[in-house]
Coordinates of all heavy atoms in Angstrom, one line a residue:
H6 N 264.5 312.9 30.8 CA 265.7 313.0 31.5 C 265.5 312.9 33.0 O 266.2 312.2 33.8 CB 266.6 314.2 31.1 CG 267.9 314.3 31.8 ND1 268.9 313.5 31.5 CD2 268.3 315.1 32.8 CE1 269.9 313.8 32.3 NE2 269.6 314.8 33.1
H7 N 264.5 313.7 33.5 CA 264.1 313.7 34.9 C 263.7 312.3 35.3 O 264.0 311.8 36.4 CB 263.0 314.7 35.1 CG 262.6 314.8 36.5 ND1 263.4 315.3 37.5 CD2 261.4 314.5 37.1 CE1 262.8 315.3 38.7 NE2 261.6 314.8 38.5
Q8 N 262.9 311.7 34.5 CA 262.4 310.3 34.8 C 263.6 309.3 34.9 O 263.6 308.5 35.8 CB 261.4 309.8 33.8 CG 260.0 310.5 33.9 CD 259.1 310.1 32.9 OE1 259.4 309.5 31.9 NE2 257.8 310.5 33.0
E9 N 264.5 309.5 34.0 CA 265.7 308.6 34.0 C 266.5 308.8 35.3 O 267.0 307.9 35.9 CB 266.6 308.9 32.8 CG 266.0 308.3 31.5 CD 266.8 308.7 30.3 OE1 267.9 309.2 30.5 OE2 266.4 308.4 29.2
E10 N 266.6 310.1 35.7 CA 267.3 310.4 37.0 C 266.6 309.7 38.2 O 267.3 309.1 39.0 CB 267.4 311.9 37.2 CG 268.4 312.6 36.3 CD 268.4 314.1 36.5 OE1 267.6 314.6 37.3 OE2 269.3 314.7 35.9
I11 N 265.3 309.8 38.2 CA 264.5 309.2 39.3 C 264.7 307.7 39.3 O 264.9 307.1 40.3 CB 263.1 309.6 39.2 CG1 262.9 311.1 39.5 CG2 262.2 308.8 40.1 CD1 261.5 311.6 39.2
I12 N 264.6 307.1 38.1 CA 264.8 305.6 37.9 C 266.2 305.2 38.4 O 266.4 304.2 39.1 CB 264.5 305.2 36.5 CG1 263.0 305.3 36.2 CG2 265.0 303.8 36.3 CD1 262.7 305.1 34.7
H13 N 267.2 306.0 38.0 CA 268.6 305.7 38.4 C 268.7 305.8 40.0 O 269.3 304.9 40.6 CB 269.6 306.7 37.8 CG 271.0 306.4 38.2 ND1 271.7 305.3 37.7 CD2 271.8 307.1 38.9 CE1 272.9 305.3 38.2 NE2 273.0 306.4 39.0
K14 N 268.1 306.8 40.6 CA 268.2 306.9 42.0 C 267.5 305.8 42.7 O 268.0 305.2 43.7 CB 267.6 308.3 42.5 CG 268.4 309.5 42.2 CD 267.7 310.8 42.6 CE 268.5 312.0 42.2 NZ 267.8 313.2 42.6
L15 N 266.3 305.4 42.2 CA 265.6 304.3 42.8 C 266.4 303.0 42.6 O 266.4 302.1 43.6 CB 264.2 304.1 42.2 CG 263.2 305.2 42.5 CD1 262.0 305.1 41.7 CD2 262.9 305.2 44.0
A16 N 267.0 302.8 41.5 CA 267.8 301.6 41.3 C 269.0 301.5 42.2 O 269.3 300.5 42.8 CB 268.3 301.6 39.8
M17 N 269.6 302.7 42.5 CA 270.7 302.7 43.5 C 270.2 302.4 44.9 O 270.9 301.7 45.6 CB 271.4 304.1 43.4 CG 272.1 304.4 42.1 SD 273.3 303.1 41.6 CE 274.5 303.2 42.9
Q18 N 269.1 302.9 45.2 CA 268.5 302.6 46.5 C 268.2 301.2 46.7 O 268.5 300.6 47.7 CB 267.2 303.5 46.8 CG 267.5 304.9 47.0 CD 266.2 305.7 47.2 OE1 265.1 305.2 46.9 NE2 266.4 307.0 47.5
L19 N 267.6 300.6 45.6 CA 267.4 299.1 45.7 C 268.7 298.3 45.8 O 268.7 297.3 46.5 CB 266.6 298.7 44.4 CG 265.1 299.1 44.4 CD1 264.5 298.7 43.1 CD2 264.4 298.4 45.5
R20 N 269.7 298.8 45.1 CA 271.0 298.1 45.2 C 271.5 298.2 46.6 O 272.0 297.2 47.1 CB 271.9 298.7 44.2 CG 273.3 298.1 44.2 CD 274.2 298.8 43.2 NE 275.5 298.2 43.2 CZ 276.6 298.7 42.6 NH1 276.4 299.7 41.8 NH2 277.7 298.1 42.7
N21 N 271.4 299.3 47.2 CA 271.9 299.5 48.6 C 271.1 298.6 49.5 O 271.7 298.0 50.4 CB 271.9 301.0 49.0 CG 272.9 301.8 48.3 OD1 273.9 301.3 47.8 ND2 272.6 303.1 48.2
I22 N 269.8 298.5 49.3 CA 269.0 297.7 50.2 C 269.4 296.2 50.0 O 269.6 295.5 51.0 CB 267.5 297.9 49.9 CG1 267.1 299.3 50.3 CG2 266.7 296.8 50.5 CD1 265.7 299.6 49.8
G23 N 269.6 295.8 48.8 CA 270.0 294.4 48.5 C 271.4 294.1 49.1 O 271.6 293.1 49.7
D24 N 272.3 295.1 49.0 CA 273.7 294.9 49.6 C 273.6 294.7 51.1 O 274.3 293.9 51.7 CB 274.6 296.0 49.2 CG 275.0 296.0 47.7 OD1 274.8 295.0 47.1 OD2 275.5 297.0 47.3
S25 N 272.8 295.6 51.7 CA 272.7 295.5 53.2 C 272.0 294.2 53.6 O 272.4 293.6 54.6 CB 271.9 296.7 53.8 OG 270.6 296.7 53.3
I26 N 271.1 293.7 52.8 CA 270.4 292.4 53.2 C 271.5 291.3 53.0 O 271.5 290.4 53.9 CB 269.2 292.2 52.2 CG1 268.1 293.1 52.6 CG2 268.8 290.7 52.3 CD1 266.9 293.1 51.7
D27 N 272.3 291.4 52.0 CA 273.3 290.4 51.8 C 274.3 290.4 52.9 O 274.7 289.3 53.4 CB 274.1 290.6 50.5 CG 273.3 290.2 49.2 OD1 272.3 289.4 49.4 OD2 273.6 290.6 48.1
R28 N 274.7 291.6 53.4 CA 275.7 291.7 54.5 C 275.0 291.1 55.7 O 275.7 290.4 56.5 CB 276.1 293.1 54.7 CG 277.1 293.6 53.8 CD 277.7 294.9 54.2 NE 276.8 296.0 54.3 CZ 276.4 296.8 53.3 NH1 277.0 296.6 52.1 NH2 275.5 297.7 53.5
G29 N 273.8 291.4 56.0 CA 273.1 290.8 57.1 C 273.0 289.3 57.1 O 273.2 288.7 58.1
M30 N 272.7 288.8 55.9 CA 272.6 287.3 55.8 C 274.0 286.7 56.0 O 274.1 285.6 56.7 CB 272.1 287.0 54.4 CG 270.6 287.3 54.3 SD 269.9 287.0 52.7 CE 269.9 285.2 52.7
V31 N 275.1 287.3 55.5 CA 276.4 286.8 55.7 C 276.8 286.8 57.2 O 277.3 285.8 57.8 CB 277.5 287.6 54.9 CG1 278.9 287.2 55.3 CG2 277.3 287.3 53.4
Q32 N 276.5 287.9 57.9 CA 276.7 288.0 59.3 C 275.9 287.0 60.1 O 276.4 286.3 61.0 CB 276.4 289.4 59.8 CG 277.4 290.4 59.3 CD 277.0 291.9 59.7 OE1 275.9 292.1 60.2 NE2 277.9 292.8 59.4
E33 N 274.7 286.7 59.7 CA 273.8 285.7 60.3 C 274.4 284.3 60.1 O 274.4 283.5 61.0 CB 272.4 285.8 59.8 CG 271.4 285.0 60.5 CD 270.0 285.1 60.0 OE1 269.6 286.3 59.8 OE2 269.3 284.1 59.7
D34 N 274.9 284.1 58.9 CA 275.5 282.8 58.6 C 276.7 282.5 59.5 O 276.9 281.5 60.0 CB 275.8 282.6 57.2 CG 274.6 282.5 56.3 OD1 273.5 282.2 56.8 OD2 274.7 282.7 55.0
L35 N 277.6 283.6 59.6 CA 278.8 283.5 60.4 C 278.4 283.2 61.9 O 279.0 282.4 62.6 CB 279.6 284.7 60.3 CG 280.3 284.9 59.0 CD1 281.0 286.3 59.0 CD2 281.3 283.8 58.7
L36 N 277.4 283.9 62.4 CA 276.9 283.7 63.8 C 276.4 282.3 64.0 O 276.8 281.7 65.0 CB 275.8 284.7 64.1 CG 275.3 284.7 65.5 CD1 276.4 285.0 66.5 CD2 274.2 285.7 65.7
Q37 N 275.6 281.8 63.0 CA 275.1 280.4 63.1 C 276.3 279.4 63.1 O 276.2 278.5 63.9 CB 274.2 280.1 62.0 CG 272.8 280.8 62.2 CD 271.9 280.5 61.0 OE1 272.3 279.9 60.0 NE2 270.7 281.0 61.1
Q38 N 277.3 279.7 62.3 CA 278.4 278.8 62.3 C 279.2 278.8 63.6 O 279.6 277.8 64.1 CB 279.4 279.1 61.1 CG 280.5 278.1 61.0 CD 281.2 278.2 59.7 OE1 280.7 278.8 58.8 NE2 282.3 277.6 59.6
E39 N 279.3 280.0 64.2 CA 280.0 280.1 65.5 C 279.2 279.4 66.6 O 279.8 278.7 67.4 CB 280.2 281.6 65.9 CG 281.2 282.3 65.1 CD 281.2 283.8 65.4 OE1 280.5 284.2 66.3 OE2 282.0 284.5 64.7
V40 N 277.9 279.5 66.5 CA 277.1 278.8 67.5 C 277.2 277.3 67.3 O 277.4 276.5 68.3 CB 275.6 279.2 67.4 CG1 274.7 278.3 68.1 CG2 275.4 280.7 67.8
R41 N 277.2 276.8 66.1 CA 277.4 275.3 65.8 C 278.7 274.9 66.3 O 278.8 273.8 66.9 CB 277.3 275.1 64.3 CG 275.9 275.0 63.8 CD 275.8 274.5 62.4 NE 276.5 275.3 61.5 CZ 276.0 276.1 60.6 NH1 274.7 276.4 60.6 NH2 276.8 276.8 59.8
E42 N 279.8 275.7 66.1 CA 281.1 275.2 66.6 C 281.2 275.2 68.1 O 281.8 274.3 68.7 CB 282.2 276.2 66.0 CG 282.4 276.0 64.5 CD 283.3 277.1 63.9 OE1 283.8 278.0 64.7 OE2 283.6 277.0 62.7
A43 N 280.6 276.2 68.7 CA 280.6 276.2 70.2 C 279.8 275.0 70.7 O 280.2 274.4 71.7 CB 280.0 277.5 70.7
L44 N 278.7 274.7 70.1 CA 277.8 273.6 70.5 C 278.6 272.3 70.3 O 278.6 271.4 71.2 CB 276.5 273.6 69.7 CG 275.6 272.4 70.1 CD1 275.1 272.6 71.5 CD2 274.4 272.5 69.2
A45 N 279.3 272.1 69.2 CA 280.1 270.9 69.0 C 281.2 270.8 70.0 O 281.4 269.7 70.6 CB 280.7 271.0 67.6
H46 N 281.8 271.9 70.4 CA 282.9 271.9 71.4 C 282.3 271.5 72.8 O 282.9 270.6 73.5 CB 283.5 273.3 71.5 CG 284.6 273.3 72.6 ND1 285.8 272.8 72.4 CD2 284.6 273.9 73.8 CE1 286.5 273.0 73.5 NE2 285.8 273.7 74.4
C47 N 281.1 272.0 73.1 CA 280.5 271.6 74.4 C 280.1 270.1 74.4 O 280.3 269.5 75.4 CB 279.2 272.5 74.6 SG 279.6 274.2 75.0
V48 N 279.6 269.6 73.3 CA 279.2 268.2 73.2 C 280.5 267.3 73.4 O 280.4 266.3 74.1 CB 278.5 267.9 71.9 CG1 278.4 266.4 71.6 CG2 277.1 268.6 71.9
L49 N 281.6 267.7 72.7 CA 282.8 266.9 72.9 C 283.3 267.0 74.3 O 283.7 265.9 74.8 CB 283.9 267.4 71.9 CG 283.6 267.2 70.4 CD1 284.7 267.9 69.6 CD2 283.6 265.7 70.2
V50 N 283.3 268.1 74.9 CA 283.8 268.2 76.3 C 282.9 267.4 77.2 O 283.3 266.7 78.1 CB 283.8 269.7 76.8 CG1 284.0 269.8 78.3 CG2 284.9 270.4 76.0
F51 N 281.6 267.5 77.0 CA 280.6 266.7 77.8 C 280.9 265.2 77.7 O 281.0 264.5 78.7 CB 279.2 267.1 77.5 CG 278.1 266.2 78.2 CD1 277.8 266.5 79.5 CD2 277.5 265.2 77.5 CE1 276.9 265.7 80.2 CE2 276.6 264.4 78.2 CZ 276.2 264.7 79.5

């Protein structure tokens, strides 16, 4: 039972790490898209 509790805690920690990585990747993708849109706007204006 103790080992199962430890495994469950570790699984939850891994899940939280995975979720935070996913959020970071989504934020990075949004930032890259914003940069692309700004660059496209500058090219059109130029």
Side-chain angles (χ1 to χ4, degrees):
H6 181 70
H7 180 68
Q8 288 175 348
E9 288 176 6
E10 287 178 353
I11 291 173
I12 290 170
H13 180 72
K14 287 178 184 177
L15 290 173
M17 294 305 294
Q18 288 176 352
L19 284 174
R20 180 180 176 189
N21 290 339
I22 291 170
D24 289 347
S25 65
I26 290 172
D27 285 343
R28 281 193 299 272
M30 291 176 70
V31 167
Q32 290 173 353
E33 186 177 315
D34 288 344
L35 290 175
L36 180 62
Q37 287 178 353
Q38 183 163 349
E39 289 175 3
V40 168
R41 283 192 298 261
E42 289 173 358
L44 181 61
H46 179 73
C47 289
V48 167
L49 289 174
V50 168
F51 174 76

